[in-house]
């Protein structure tokens, strides 16, 4: 029995595909089985029609370049909608469209949209093949580029169909390139019916519906209903010299180096430690029967930002993208190797991301700042042995982090889960020029989920509190800031591999050890708690990095209070109480200089 026959035995799937095909009127229908032969065929076809260009097959075997439409290079949050009957269920942080309006305004854009094109049916599984926590999605798309990317980013094809069987329990994702016009571009999510409609964009986050649309926006609503968490988090395992591995999940807004942290390689001074990559972008976290939180990475690949990636910042990413990788909107060298800013001096004869000869004198980057690689997770040298584990990994610590030039210390630990939820809700980051053109503007981004939470943000924070109350052994919660600057705007902390030193303290604390000072905002490492041997950071700099400025933090609590009110009436009162408690401690603390040491010595 071939793939198509097997699929069409699923009535719900067959009738949905028929309905869409009748309306979008494709020239032909192709059911993706995920095989190597199918992939080769799709790539051949895209090389022939110009969708893909071959890269240097000697240096980069199996690697191809795609150039997107120049007006279609990033997610478009202002064109992204959550479609609930009741606007309050979408909440103040999301764009809302009623399902009726979506049907009237967006559905017609699919009418005849696939004329002359192939309709690809892409069945995919989010999570390990045999995991009880995995979920099935089907994406209908008229983009072969989407189909081959989905094959890297998910478990695609036969494996998903076998998992689905006769069930109608799958997320329906409908995608068409349409005419790529931003005026007719919409990304609509229907949490009630578990549907996604995306039209007018071929770009990653808008078109690879498994990722932000399903695994975060739709899954977050399923998680709310089913008692778990779908989060914008990396997952890593930190192995110590005794061979004990502690699993950590971490949420950062964009441009904070999430992929770099997920793939961290400890420096020589930290011999015996090892970081294992479970995921770099999304975590599905579930309370286990043992009272701990267990995480799987629903994805199967990395869709990472290329610029800034090099052998110093992330050697494991560089190794991951050496073969079988699709590059989108990068530059190419004369000998057809992919190139981007951060790989050193721009070589002569570069072709820029638009396909034009690069003119370095104009000062514009050759690669698009949001250019990407799509690479199989299994190609990462540090991929965790637990990557495919159906149960996932037990999470001992959750880290939140942002880019803050001042105020926020290198690391601190929340007092408990509820305070940790506030720490996550307070997450903020200063923008970098690459993302916005404006540098240093503070953006609040609760749990790094602002663009990805599929429902009311107040309900979301409440759900976090609820999940914690049900955990007998909740993970310890931390905040990190690798981006503190000194008076000359210099970075005070070396970051990158040296962050392992901070992870070690986090691992110790999560195990109930590690030395800390209790401050009004949480537990901060004592002066000697973070190993700085072999590190060129002065003791005074460490003090600066770990200092809590009571005045600055009082102002921060006022700011966060104001921000939380903007999340609307459904914001849990408990979080406002948490903020007020911090402010009271700050007031009391300023009159009482002594701080106590909490926790045991490791
Ligand atoms: O990814 C980063 N991480 C996490 C790494 C595991 N970046 C890059 C952010 C953009 C994606 C960082 N940048 C980090 C960091 O920890 N820290 C910094 C800031 C920094 C930049 C350059 C230096 C130090 C810090 N250079 C020297 O100290 C020589
Ligand atoms: Mn992300």
């Amino acid at each position: 029995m071939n793939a198509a026959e097997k699929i069409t035995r699923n009535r719900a799937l067959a009738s949905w595909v028929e309905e869409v095909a009748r309306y979008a009127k494709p020239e032909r229908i192709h059911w993706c089985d995920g095989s190597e032969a199918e992939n080769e065929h799709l790539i051949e076809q895209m090389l022939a029609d110009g969708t893909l260009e071959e890269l240097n097959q000697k240096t980069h075997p199996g690697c191809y370049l795609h150039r997107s439409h120049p007006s279609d290079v990033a997610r478009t949050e202002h064109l992204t909608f959550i479609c609930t009957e009741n606007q309050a269920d979408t909440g103040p942080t999301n764009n809302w469209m009623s399902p009726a309006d979506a049907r009237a305004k967006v559905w017609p854009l699919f009418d005849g949209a696939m004329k002359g094109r192939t309709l690809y049916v892409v069945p995919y599984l989010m999570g390990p093949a045999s995991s009880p926590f995995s979920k099935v999605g089907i994406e209908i798309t008229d983009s072969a580029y989407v189909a081959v990317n989905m094959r890297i980013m998910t478990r695609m094809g036969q494996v998903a169909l076998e998992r689905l069987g006769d069930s109608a329990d799958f997320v329906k994702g409908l995608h068409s390139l349409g005419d790529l016009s931003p005026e007719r571009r919409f990304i609509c999510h229907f949490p009630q019916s578990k549907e996604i409609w995306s039209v007018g964009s071929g770009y990653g986050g808008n078109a690879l519906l498994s990722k932000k649309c399903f695994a975060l926006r739709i899954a977050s609503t399923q998680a709310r209903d089913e008692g778990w968490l779908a989060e914008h988090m990396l997952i890593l395992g930190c192995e110590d010299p005794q061979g004990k591995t502690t699993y950590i999940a971490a949420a950062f807004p964009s441009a904070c180096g999430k992929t770099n942290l997920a793939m961290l390689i400890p420096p020589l001074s930290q011999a015996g430690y090892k970081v294992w990559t479970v995921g770099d972008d999304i975590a599905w976290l579930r309370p286990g029967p043992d009272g701990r939180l267990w995480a799987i990475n629903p994805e199967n690949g990395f869709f990472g930002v290329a610029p800034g990636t090099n052998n110093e910042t992330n050697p494991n990413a560089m190794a991951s993208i050496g073969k079988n990788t699709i590059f989108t909107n990068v530059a190419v060298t004369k000998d057809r190797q992919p190139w981007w800013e951060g790989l050193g001096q721009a070589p002569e004869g570069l072709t820029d991301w638009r396909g034009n000869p690069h003119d370095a004198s104009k000062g514009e980057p050759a690669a698009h700042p949001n250019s990407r690689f799509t690479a199989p997770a299994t190609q990462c040298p540090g991929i965790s042995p637990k990557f495919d584990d159906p149960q996932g990994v037990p999470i001992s610590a959750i880290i939140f982090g942002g880019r803050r030039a001042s105020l926020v210390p290198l690391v601190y630990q929340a007092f408990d889960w509820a305070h940790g939820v506030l720490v996550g809700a307070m997450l903020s980051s200063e923008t970098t020029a690459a993302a916005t053109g404006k540098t240093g503007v503070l953006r609040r981004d609760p749990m790094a989920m602002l663009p990805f939470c599929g429902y009311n943000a107040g309900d979301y924070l409440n759900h976090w509190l609820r999940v914690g109350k049900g955990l007998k052994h909740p993970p310890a919660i931390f905040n990190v800031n690798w981006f503190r600057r000194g008076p000359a705007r210099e970075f005070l902390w070396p970051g990158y591999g040296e962050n392992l030193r901070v992870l070690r303290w986090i691992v110790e604390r999560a195990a109930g050890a590690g030395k800390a000072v209790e401050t009004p905002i949480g537990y901060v490492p004592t002066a000697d708690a973070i190993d700085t041997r072999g590190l060129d950071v002065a003791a005074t700099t460490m003090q600066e990095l770990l200092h809590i400025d009571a005045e600055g933090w009082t102002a921060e609590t006022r700011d966060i209070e104001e921000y939380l009110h903007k999340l609307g009436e459904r914001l849990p009162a408990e979080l406002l109480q948490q903020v007020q408690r911090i402010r009271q401690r700050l007031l009391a603390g300023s009159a009482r200089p002594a701080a106590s040491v909490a926790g045991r010595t490791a």
Side-chain angles (χ1 to χ4, degrees):
M1 191 184 306
N2 72 19
E5 279 179 75
K6 190 142 193 167
I7 295 160
T8 46
R9 291 199 322 158
N10 184 310
R11 295 273 304 279
L13 176 52
S15 64
W16 176 56
V17 171
E18 269 164 37
E19 180 204 342
V20 170
R22 236 183 350 259
Y23 192 55
K25 303 177 185 72
E27 185 142 318
R28 64 193 80 79
I29 298 179
H30 175 97
W31 298 76
C32 291
D33 61 16
S35 67
E36 183 66 47
E38 175 183 80
N39 192 51
E40 278 168 20
H41 167 78
L42 291 174
I43 285 168
E44 275 310 308
Q45 189 184 304
M46 284 188 280
L47 289 171
D49 72 14
T51 304
L52 291 185
E53 287 185 12
E54 198 165 73
L55 289 167
N56 188 322
Q57 296 298 300
K58 289 214 179 76
T59 57
H60 291 77
C63 291
Y64 300 92
L65 167 68
H66 172 71
R67 292 197 188 95
S68 74
H69 190 280
S71 70
D72 186 25
V73 293
R75 283 186 300 103
T76 44
E77 282 170 26
H78 63 295
L79 303 174
T80 302
F81 295 84
I82 306 295
C83 304
T84 52
E85 289 297 340
N86 192 339
Q87 182 168 5
D89 293 333
T90 287
T93 59
N94 286 309
N95 300 313
W96 175 76
M97 199 188 286
S98 75
D101 280 355
R103 186 151 274 280
K105 258 184 27 196
V106 180
W107 178 246
L109 298 176
F110 290 99
D111 188 0
M114 298 186 183
K115 272 182 191 160
R117 300 181 188 164
T118 303
L119 180 160
Y120 299 95
V121 183
V122 182
Y124 62 93
L125 186 60
M126 299 307 282
S130 56
S131 171
F133 313 128
S134 297
K135 287 184 182 285
V136 174
I138 312 281
E139 177 164 354
I140 293 179
T141 177
D142 55 9
S143 163
Y145 165 81
V146 166
V148 296
N149 272 273
M150 289 292 284
R151 183 169 180 267
I152 298 174
M153 292 306 297
T154 69
R155 282 94 170 164
M156 188 260 258
Q158 204 61 33
V159 60
L161 295 172
E162 275 161 24
R163 174 63 179 264
L164 184 63
D166 299 331
S167 169
D169 184 16
F170 58 92
V171 169
K172 293 176 181 166
L174 173 54
H175 169 252
S176 173
L177 295 169
D179 61 7
L180 289 180
S181 158
E183 283 76 52
R184 283 174 291 282
R185 182 177 299 164
F186 293 95
I187 300 95
C188 293
H189 304 73
F190 304 84
Q192 177 85 53
S193 58
K194 291 189 288 180
E195 280 182 272
I196 303 154
W197 294 350
S198 170
V199 62
S201 169
Y203 171 78
N206 288 340
L208 308 177
L209 302 185
S210 60
K211 196 174 179 64
K212 305 304 189 181
C213 298
F214 178 176
L216 289 175
R217 296 197 191 98
I218 297 287
S220 64
T221 68
Q222 294 178 291
R224 171 199 60 194
D225 298 341
E226 297 168 7
W228 51 283
L229 299 166
E231 298 299 325
H232 191 202
M233 289 178 175
L234 65 87
I235 308 165
L236 64 80
C238 184
E239 184 178 335
D240 70 14
Q242 286 72 48
K244 180 169 191 275
T245 302
T246 303
Y247 293 94
I248 298 173
F252 295 80
S254 60
C256 290
K258 209 156 113 211
T259 302
N260 296 341
L261 184 63
M263 299 182 187
L264 182 148
I265 296 181
L268 290 174
S269 64
Q270 303 294 306
Y273 289 90
K274 168 112 186 101
V275 168
W276 299 102
T277 307
V278 181
D280 81 325
D281 196 37
I282 300 177
W284 285 358
L285 305 133
R286 288 174 189 269
D290 60 354
R292 292 193 289 178
L293 201 56
W294 289 75
I296 61 165
N297 170 14
E299 300 195 284
N300 200 30
F302 308 119
F303 185 65
V305 174
T309 308
N310 61 50
N311 279 321
E312 276 73 54
T313 59
N314 195 337
N316 276 340
M318 291 302 284
S320 307
I321 65 182
K323 58 182 182 184
N324 308 321
T325 296
I326 298 169
F327 294 90
T328 302
N329 293 342
V330 300
V332 265
T333 65
K334 268 191 302 206
D335 67 344
R336 303 208 57 77
Q337 296 191 48
W339 193 89
W340 49 80
E341 278 63 29
L343 285 178
Q345 180 79 39
E348 284 295 306
L350 274 181
T351 301
D352 74 12
W353 66 274
R354 289 182 155 94
N356 300 322
H358 180 58
D359 182 353
S361 71
K362 285 191 179 152
E364 276 170 16
H368 190 277
N370 193 35
S371 55
R372 300 277 169 156
F373 51 76
T374 316
T378 49
Q379 289 185 182
C380 180
I383 195 70
S384 167
K386 300 264 182 185
F387 174 71
D388 262 319
D389 193 309
Q391 294 306 319
V393 295
I395 298 296
S396 300
I398 290 173
I399 303 177
F400 297 108
R403 186 184 270 271
R404 296 288 299 258
S406 61
L407 190 71
V408 179
L410 176 61
V411 60
Y412 69 95
Q413 180 187 4
F415 295 116
D416 55 25
W417 180 272
H419 176 221
V421 174
L422 174 69
V423 169
M426 290 192 333
L427 195 52
S428 65
S429 201
E430 283 148 6
T431 55
T432 58
T436 58
K438 268 197 194 151
T439 313
V441 179
L442 189 71
R443 279 230 210 121
R444 299 246 165 235
D445 186 356
M447 268 84 171
M449 282 288 278
L450 197 55
F452 306 122
C453 181
Y455 62 103
N456 183 297
D459 288 345
Y460 168 77
L461 293 171
N462 214 349
H463 180 60
W464 259 82
L465 291 170
R466 207 161 49 221
V467 167
K469 287 182 182 117
L471 289 170
K472 192 156 174 242
H473 306 290
I477 299 181
F478 300 83
N479 193 89
V480 300
N481 176 19
W482 317 133
F483 301 94
R484 274 291 284 272
R485 294 183 195 247
R489 302 279 303 152
E490 78 283 15
F491 287 111
L492 294 178
W493 177 251
Y496 298 99
E498 303 297 352
N499 293 337
L500 193 274
R501 300 167 188 268
V502 176
L503 294 184
R504 280 174 59 194
W505 183 77
I506 288 172
V507 166
E508 286 173 15
R509 292 294 296 174
K515 288 197 277 181
V517 179
E518 187 179 335
T519 81
I521 69 158
Y523 300 115
V524 173
T526 57
D528 60 343
I530 290 180
D531 176 11
T532 55
R533 284 171 301 174
L535 197 60
D536 188 22
V537 176
T540 50
T541 304
M542 280 311 290
Q543 271 169 26
E544 175 65 19
L545 280 165
L546 299 173
H547 177 69
I548 306 303
D549 168 31
E551 229 170 89
W553 270 101
T554 303
E556 181 81 1
T557 60
R558 301 238 181 253
D559 201 57
I560 191 65
E561 218 167 8
E562 198 177 306
Y563 179 80
L564 289 177
H565 282 297
K566 289 186 193 154
L567 299 183
E569 290 118 62
R570 298 197 192 174
L571 180 86
E574 193 172 344
L575 287 187
L576 291 172
Q577 288 157 14
Q578 287 282 347
V579 186
Q580 281 148 18
R581 243 172 268 157
I582 291 174
R583 195 156 54 240
Q584 282 156 13
R585 284 194 296 261
L586 284 160
L587 278 169
S590 59
R592 194 162 42 84
S596 66
V597 173
R600 285 173 276 123
T601 308

